[in-house]
């Protein structure tokens, strides 16, 4: 199959722009599209064959459920049952936006979309192109991140082409995703409201609406205890990984720089190509041929929007080993460290 790439300017969209993409989706095909978090690989969420095609294109295990994207809060009642009041309060506060809510599913949602689970993940994205695509197609759109399974999520159409060219019908190119990390996932399907995946909507923001919300233990304690199994099936896989082996260095910036420079030297002696993932403030401290800046230490939004792109750049540069600084875990830092730890397979060196 040839993958068609079309450009849509979010600031200047017309209905005509969406005719072909909407028709592909309605006939069971796949269209990758921009969202405010990352690019999504979309198919008709209520068509089991479309979900199966999504798993095949990504090479994703079919027990890993998809998020259903909607463009109106009223869709909640069509897709989910026993909806608690918290769901409406969170929707009111954060939708449209980078928050996914898990609820008990209604039979209309096929098992292939939810990986056989009795629950469904629902998100109302704020990106104008995503919103318009859902409305113009008249569908609910199931969309995982538009990367090959296990690779860093895609924040640009070019990344989608890198991973999925020839495997999907179309990519809509609307430039870079602003947030750069996937949505926060909150489970409201049973018991205590729980954050399964940290994202741009932080625990502090969520607690203002749902004071009792907690993190799934897999988010906060997995680093120390590798017997904990994540409740979001997708969070248990090695993930977000560049081709080069990533290792995180934690500690005082001087000592981190010293340890990284030593690691670079050893890698080079072993005939390996090393790269350093650094913040702007520390660039001068490193002695390495490849140093990629992920943003300013004091600007978490900048780091979040560049993280996956930076990991992919190391691949383009043919780096075998990546040595990374670590980041603070407050606010958005929790989501940044969560993705970085997964990409590193939890390899952290405390120096
Ligand atoms: O920002 C995002 O959420 C992006 C954009 C495209 O919307 N989508 C995204 O999808 O990140 P994906 O498939 O890459 O990640 C979805 C995560 C997976 O870890 C999956 O296991 C979890 O959500 N998930 C989906 N449905 C679930 C359910 N019913 N119960 C528990 N976890 C679920
Ligand atoms: Mg993903």
């Amino acid at each position: 199959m040839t993958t068609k790439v079309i450009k849509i300017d979010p600031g200047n969209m017309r209905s005509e722009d969406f005719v072909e993409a909407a028709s592909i989706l309605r006939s069971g095909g796949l269209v990758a599209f921009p969202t405010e978090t990352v690019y999504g690989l979309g198919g008709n969420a209520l068509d089991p064959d479309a979900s199966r095609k999504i798993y095949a294109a990504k090479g994703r295990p079919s027990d890993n459920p998809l998020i259903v994207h909607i463009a109106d809060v009223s869709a909640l009642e069509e897709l989910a049952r026993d909806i608690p009041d918290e769901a409406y309060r969170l929707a009111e506060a954060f939708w449209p936006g980078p928050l996914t809510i898990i609820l008990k599913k209604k039979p209309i949602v096929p098992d292939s979309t939810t990986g056989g689970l009795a629950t469904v993940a629902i998100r109302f994205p704020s990106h104008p192109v995503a919103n318009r695509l859902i409305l113009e197609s008249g569908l609910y759109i199931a969309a995982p991140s538009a990367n090959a399974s296990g690779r860093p999520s895609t924040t640009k159409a070019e990344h989608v082409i890198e991973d999925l060219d020839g495997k999907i019908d179309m990519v809509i190119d609307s430039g870079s995703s602003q947030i750069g990390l996937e949505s926060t996932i909150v489970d409201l399907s049973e018991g205590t409201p729980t954050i399964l995946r940290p994202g741009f909507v932080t625990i502090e923001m969520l607690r203002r609406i749902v004071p009792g919300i907690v993190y799934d233990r897999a988010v906060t304690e997995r680093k120390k205890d590798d017997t904990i199994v994540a409740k979001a099936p997708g969070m248990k896989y090695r993930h977000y990984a560049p081709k080069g082996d990533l290792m995180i260095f934690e500690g005082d910036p001087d000592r981190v720089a010293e340890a990284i420079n030593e690691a670079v030297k050893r890698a080079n002696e072993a005939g390996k190509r090393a790269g350093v993932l650094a913040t702007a403030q520390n660039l001068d401290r490193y002695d390495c041929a490849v140093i990629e800046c992920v943003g300013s230490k004091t600007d978490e939004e900048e780091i979040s929007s560049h993280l996956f792109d930076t990991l992919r750049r190391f691949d383009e540069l043919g780096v075998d080993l990546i040595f990374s600084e670590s980041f603070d875990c407050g606010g958005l830092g929790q989501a940044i460290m969560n993705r970085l730890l997964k990409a590193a397979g939890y390899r952290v060196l405390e120096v």
Side-chain angles (χ1 to χ4, degrees):
M1 147 189 337
T2 330
T3 301
K4 181 166 181 178
V5 182
I6 65 164
K7 280 197 196 294
I8 299 182
D9 174 359
N12 182 22
M13 315 181 285
R14 298 155 309 165
S15 278
E16 299 96 277
D17 297 334
F18 292 86
V19 170
E20 195 178 353
S23 137
I24 292 170
L25 289 170
R26 278 196 298 268
S27 54
L30 304 186
V31 176
F33 62 98
T35 85
E36 69 279 19
T37 56
V38 298
Y39 273 69
L41 173 55
N44 179 356
L46 303 187
D47 173 0
D49 288 332
S51 314
R52 281 192 276 271
K53 281 191 206 166
I54 292 176
Y55 290 112
K58 277 182 65 93
R60 172 170 177 148
S62 60
D63 68 343
N64 188 359
L66 308 174
I67 295 174
V68 178
H69 294 68
I70 61 172
D72 193 313
V73 180
S74 67
L76 277 181
E77 273 106 60
E78 270 198 71
L79 301 167
R81 62 183 176 85
D82 305 340
I83 303 171
D85 187 47
E86 283 100 336
Y88 294 102
R89 283 191 275 131
L90 289 176
E92 168 79 27
F94 301 111
W95 279 356
L99 177 72
T100 295
I101 301 176
I102 295 179
L103 297 165
K104 292 198 179 79
K105 85 173 185 75
K106 278 192 173 163
I108 187 179
V109 185
D111 285 339
S112 56
T113 298
T114 63
L117 296 178
T119 53
V120 58
I122 304 175
R123 174 159 118 77
F124 182 166
S126 64
H127 195 292
V129 172
N131 181 263
R132 191 75 173 262
L133 182 65
I134 299 166
L135 294 174
E136 298 279 348
S137 67
L139 303 169
Y140 302 126
I141 301 185
S145 49
N147 51 284
S149 188
R151 302 226 53 224
S153 295
T154 49
T155 55
K156 292 176 178 169
E158 291 82 357
H159 298 163
V160 180
I161 289 297
E162 255 167 48
D163 282 17
L164 300 175
D165 192 22
K167 297 181 173 163
I168 62 177
D169 299 284
M170 179 181 270
V171 182
I172 300 176
D173 179 355
S174 303
S176 294
S177 289
Q178 197 197 337
I179 292 174
L181 298 179
E182 309 84 346
S183 60
T184 306
I185 302 180
V186 170
D187 186 357
L188 296 181
S189 68
E190 55 169 10
T192 308
T194 304
I195 301 169
L196 305 188
R197 179 172 73 182
F200 185 83
V201 178
T202 63
I203 191 165
E204 293 82 8
M205 292 157 76
L206 291 164
R207 280 199 172 140
R208 272 179 238 137
I209 313 295
V210 180
I213 200 164
V214 296
Y215 277 122
D216 184 26
R217 284 181 63 219
V219 173
T220 44
E221 291 168 38
R222 170 60 177 78
K223 204 173 124 187
K224 289 169 241 143
D225 179 353
D226 61 10
T227 62
I228 297 171
V229 175
K231 201 175 168 211
M235 298 295 278
K236 71 179 182 241
Y237 298 107
R238 175 142 192 258
H239 223 146
Y240 312 117
K243 292 171 189 150
D245 265 337
L246 174 64
M247 154 108 52
I248 303 167
F249 289 69
E250 212 167 64
D252 164 79
D254 282 326
R255 283 214 297 281
V256 165
E258 203 179 306
I260 287 184
N261 287 336
E262 183 57 34
V264 169
K265 211 168 111 207
R266 268 183 281 127
N268 291 341
E269 281 163 8
K272 300 215 162 152
R273 203 169 150 74
V276 179
L277 190 152
T279 50
Q281 285 78 355
N282 294 331
L283 291 178
D284 293 344
R285 297 173 187 259
Y286 300 108
D287 183 15
C288 183
V290 178
I291 303 170
E292 289 290 324
C293 179
V294 70
S296 162
K297 232 181 184 14
T298 58
D299 187 347
E300 288 179 336
E301 291 190 17
E302 186 187 15
I303 295 173
S304 133
S305 73
H306 290 140
L307 182 65
F308 287 138
D309 189 32
T310 307
L311 291 177
R312 279 177 181 265
R313 238 177 4 253
F314 285 112
D315 288 347
E316 282 162 32
L317 296 165
V319 164
D320 307 303
L321 294 165
I322 305 163
F323 304 121
S324 176
E325 294 176 19
S326 76
F327 302 92
D328 289 338
C329 269
L332 188 50
Q334 181 70 240
I336 294 169
M337 272 315 279
N338 172 269
R339 306 312 192 274
L340 194 63
L341 281 164
K342 277 181 200 304
Y346 296 93
R347 270 168 311 182
V348 182
L349 197 68
E350 280 169 35
V351 295

